[in-house]
Each structure stands twice: as structure tokens, then as C-alpha cells.
Amino acid sequence: MATQRNEHATTERVLITGASSGIGLHLAHRFAAHGHPVCLVAPDATELDAVAADIRKAHGVEVMPVAADLEKKEAFAELDTVTRLAGWSIDILANNAGHGFKGQYAEVPLSTHLSVLRLNVEAALRATSCFLPRMVKNRRGRVLNTASIAGFEPGPGMAVYHASKAFILSWSEALATELEGSGVTVTALCPGPTDTDFFPKGDLQQSFAFQKANLMDPEDVAHAGYDAVMAGERVVVPGAANKALVFSRRFMSEHLQSRMNEKMYEDVDGAHRQRGARESAPKG
């Protein structure tokens, strides 16, 4: 059941991970445009400071940039300390940071697979464990987890990435049920392929997913995510085509779904390349 917006909505402080580019950057602007003070978290301090300056200038809200590598567990104690010293009570947590890797599972080093899990899954768990108990104690708060339509289906060629998003989706829905009546809501944002630097950074520009898919505008994804978390929705899939795709999977075998996704990660010229694909905002 969707919760009603309240008089505190535009003063609720927001912490956004992966906030220096992609969907995370647009989420930061969307929250700030509605008057929310924003804490921006990303690994590159220089990029983060530039984003913070842009948001202050565009929206006139309080902005706190925190440079942190969320693959390191020590980063979360730092986030806790920095926000506490600043007198910030985090009212909305947007777990958005993540990355992926193109390649056959057996040919990719284990360290790379574990890196994906640390950022896509463990970082979200640690951040939520840091801030959720206080939300529950205060009987109000919101969590927005960036999942993906990849979480609805297996993805040969990006197997661990898809699995990580399936975890985030399932976990978000379970938390939403656990927290019913607590004043705290959890929302899973499940975009499809989105026009961010995910593809060029991963050398995926020749893939079917980039060349043939109808890429969404990250600003539109951020709008959908903002509206959904403020309304207390459990799952939001932005875009009619993505909604139709998720629905159609109900009528396909898992084998067919796997084969379809395998093709999406192949290059249009038939070549199979293995590259690292990092993103500031996960997408399908």
C-alpha cells in the first residue's frame, strides 16, 4: 500500500550512493529539485565536489559530498561518523552504487565476481544496516534500492550482475513486508538498459543491448524512482517497454530467457569480448 506524502517530505535528508554519474546523479538532482538536502557518496572526490557545486547552484539546497570506496567495509563507519558529526539524520537512503562485468563466468577471475557482490549487494546491506534501525526507531523513513529488470531473469555473459540484482529485488520486497506498519517503506527501482556511461566504460557499445535496445534517459529513470519512493511503492519498472518485457517473462522458460539475454550481451559483429563494466548507477 502506498503511503501518503507528508509535510516533512521536502526536508527529509537523503543519502545517495553512486551519486557522481548516471542514474545516481539524476536522482541527486531530482531530490534536490524538491528541496531535499542531499549527501552524495562516490569514490572520486574531485567528481563529487563538482556535482555538489552544480546541485547547490541549481537547487539551492544543502549538499554534503563524501568520497568513499564502498567496496571497503570501513567506509560505512566513516559515513556514519560524518553524518552524525554534521547533525544529519538520514531520512531517505538511496542504495544506488554498483558495477557489472561482461564475460563468461569461468573465464573471469573470482576476485572480479566478489567485487561485483561487494558493491552491488554487500554495500547496500551495510548502508541499510547503518541507517534503517534509526528510521524504524523514529517511525519514519524511506529506502530506495536500485535493482534492475536484470533481477527478473538469468543473464549469461553477466551472470553475477544479474544474480546481484535478483538479490536486491527479492531483499527489497521482503524488507517492505517486514516493515509494514513501521512508518518506513522500501522501494526497488528496476530500470532497463539506460543511456549512461555504463556501456562506453565497459566497452559494451557494440553489444546488442546498446545497439538494439531502446535505451532509457537516466533522468526519466530518476523521476520514476523519486515518485515511487515518495509514494511508498514496493517495485517500480520505468518505461512501458520494460514493463511489457518483465510481464512477458512469465510465459517463457528459464532456458529461453537465458538464451535471449546471452544474445543481448554479444557484440553485433559476433565477436565475444570480455571487459570490465563499471557503473555509478546500475541498470538492466
Side-chain angles (χ1 to χ4, degrees), residues 168-180 186 234:
I168 293 298
L169 176 58
S170 177
W171 173 62
S172 298
E173 292 187 271
L175 285 184
T177 297
E178 290 181 3
L179 293 167
E180 285 178 348
V186 178
R234 290 184 174 226

Side-chain angles (χ1 to χ4, degrees), residues 25-146:
L25 172 63
H26 288 280
L27 279 172
H29 276 280
R30 181 50 34 194
F31 277 106
H34 284 272
H36 296 272
V38 291
C39 176
L40 310 177
V41 183
D44 190 309
T46 300
E47 287 184 1
L48 207 53
D49 287 341
V51 170
D54 287 344
I55 290 176
R56 290 190 191 102
K57 181 177 180 180
H59 308 294
V61 300
E62 184 180 2
V63 183
M64 180 167 58
V66 181
D69 181 355
L70 298 185
E71 286 193 54
K72 298 179 179 179
K73 62 182 181 181
E74 297 81 8
F76 300 91
E78 178 186 353
L79 282 179
D80 186 37
T81 299
V82 169
T83 53
R84 282 179 181 270
L85 289 177
W88 276 50
S89 174
I90 302 303
D91 305 299
I92 304 174
L93 172 64
N95 289 310
N96 176 75
H99 65 203
F101 190 90
K102 177 185 175 184
Q104 299 295 301
Y105 181 87
E107 299 173 4
V108 175
L110 176 61
S111 60
T112 300
H113 296 315
L114 294 176
S115 173
V116 172
L117 293 179
R118 278 195 296 270
L119 190 57
N120 294 16
V121 175
E122 185 178 348
L125 292 176
R126 288 187 179 277
T128 303
S129 291
C130 184
F131 299 110
L132 180 61
R134 293 172 216 165
M135 295 181 186
V136 173
K137 182 179 179 180
N138 294 333
R139 297 198 60 79
R140 71 181 182 94
R142 312 173 197 271
V143 179
L144 176 65
N145 293 323
T146 302

Side-chain angles (χ1 to χ4, degrees), residues 15 31 42 66 73 158 171-172 177 208 219 257 274 280 282:
L15 186 148
F31 277 106
V66 181
K73 62 182 181 181
M158 292 191 74
W171 173 62
S172 298
T177 297
F208 280 89
E219 185 173 1
Q257 292 179 42
Q274 298 175 8
S280 296

Side-chain angles (χ1 to χ4, degrees), residues 1 20 35 40 71 76 103 135 153 156 164-165 180 188 222 244 252:
M1 179 182 295
S20 61
L40 310 177
E71 286 193 54
F76 300 91
M135 295 181 186
E153 58 203 35
S164 73
K165 294 307 177 182
E180 285 178 348
M252 297 182 189

